[in-house]
Amino acid sequence: YSDFLEKQGFTIIPEWVRMTLDISNPLDEFYSNLSKSAKEDIRKIKKMDYTYEISDDINKLDFFYHKMYAPYASWRFSETAIFTNYYTMKILLELGSKILFIKHKGEYIFGGLFLKEKNKVTASYAGLMDGKFDHIKQGVIAASYYYLIYYSKEHGVTVVDLGSCRSFVKDGLFFYKRKWGAEMGKSGNESSEIYAFKNCTNNESIRSFLQNNPFIYLEKNKFKIDFCEKNK
């Protein structure tokens, strides 16, 4: 209904925005073009001496799900946590997905499921070892990005799909993926919805709310962010 609603004067906000990385250029060039913040994260990774491991072992999936994914989802989302079924991940593994593990001094800290198809890698589910959530501040999430990019490049991949984010600029996940150079795209999820609103009263309180909560919207099928600038 996006086109119809836009013609009626509504602003269209997608429920999810897909974030992808173009890694077709040489790695040195890719890293040199990263934001200052991402480069600082890479320095932190090297200082912590994180290492990685790739596995398609079904026993490791059991470890990942129960020791990383489920505890992390519970910790991060509390009562609103919605868990993906273990057997869904098992099927993904059987279809060719692998698990990227990040280790520190030989100890498993992070795990993330991903699938390689031709020249594209798609990341899906991730988790942190129960009781090791302090490693977030020590750069373990950055290490997962860094080594997924490295592994992808080593295997002839040109595009890394980092998954979806909510359509708000101040959303932490959106901001984090953007600083690594990820570009916005449609979610590709058929169950993904859209939200539509019309600003009927252009008063100061509404303008202030929109300026302090910038969002991503669609205009003629293209992503935009500067809604307030457009409506001055």
Side-chain angles (χ1 to χ4, degrees):
Y1 303 103
S2 298
D3 292 341
F4 169 77
L5 290 169
E6 188 175 344
K7 288 176 182 177
Q8 306 307 310
F10 285 85
T11 296
I12 309 302
I13 306 174
E15 182 182 14
W16 297 99
V17 176
R18 202 77 179 176
M19 307 298 288
T20 58
L21 277 176
D22 179 352
I23 60 168
S24 55
N25 291 330
L27 272 182
D28 288 347
E29 184 177 335
F30 173 82
Y31 290 135
S32 68
N33 290 327
L34 287 176
S35 67
K36 182 179 179 181
S37 179
K39 289 176 181 176
E40 182 58 36
D41 281 352
I42 292 174
R43 283 191 286 271
K44 190 181 294 185
I45 293 164
K46 294 177 178 179
K47 182 178 179 180
M48 287 295 295
D49 199 24
Y50 285 116
T51 59
Y52 80 103
E53 174 188 317
I54 305 293
S55 177
D56 57 4
D57 184 347
I58 191 65
N59 294 317
K60 290 286 182 69
L61 177 66
D62 189 75
F63 170 77
F64 161 71
Y65 186 89
H66 294 290
K67 298 295 185 180
M68 293 181 170
Y69 169 75
Y72 179 61
S74 296
W75 174 77
R76 184 178 176 192
F77 300 108
S78 189
E79 295 178 356
T80 63
I82 299 175
F83 296 96
T84 297
N85 190 288
Y86 168 83
Y87 294 99
T88 297
M89 295 191 192
K90 184 174 182 290
I91 290 170
L92 290 174
L93 203 72
E94 291 169 348
L95 291 173
S97 289
K98 299 180 187 296
I99 309 170
L100 167 71
F101 287 110
I102 302 298
K103 300 194 289 186
H104 181 246
K105 296 181 179 178
E107 184 179 9
Y108 290 96
I109 303 296
F110 170 96
L113 206 63
F114 71 92
L115 176 66
K116 178 185 179 298
E117 295 178 293
K118 296 182 180 179
N119 68 331
K120 182 178 180 180
V121 154
T122 301
S124 51
Y125 304 103
L128 279 168
M129 191 71 179
D130 194 12
K132 300 293 182 180
F133 304 141
D134 58 319
H135 275 267
I136 292 175
K137 293 182 179 179
Q138 296 171 9
V140 72
I141 304 299
S144 72
Y145 279 55
Y146 180 81
Y147 286 120
L148 182 61
I149 292 167
Y150 178 81
Y151 173 87
S152 299
K153 195 66 179 175
E154 289 286 295
H155 289 79
V157 170
T158 57
V159 176
V160 177
D161 185 336
L162 296 175
S164 298
C165 300
R166 294 293 185 181
S167 300
F168 292 91
V169 177
K170 291 185 178 180
D171 177 80
L173 197 54
F174 173 81
F175 176 81
Y176 194 82
K177 292 178 180 181
R178 283 287 281 179
K179 81 174 188 178
W180 280 82
E183 296 295 330
M184 298 180 289
K186 289 188 176 180
S187 73
N189 185 345
E190 292 181 0
S191 65
S192 182
E193 299 179 355
I194 61 164
Y195 302 99
F197 83 91
K198 185 182 288 187
N199 188 8
C200 300
T201 306
N202 192 21
N203 61 35
E204 186 58 34
S205 60
I206 292 175
R207 179 171 293 279
S208 176
F209 174 80
L210 296 175
Q211 285 175 336
N212 290 312
N213 297 277
F215 56 85
I216 301 150
Y217 66 98
L218 284 168
E219 185 178 273
K220 295 181 181 178
N221 217 30
K222 293 183 179 180
F223 286 104
K224 300 289 184 72
I225 294 176
D226 55 346
F227 176 79
C228 288
E229 289 297 317
K230 170 192 145 182
N231 289 276
K232 276 187 175 179

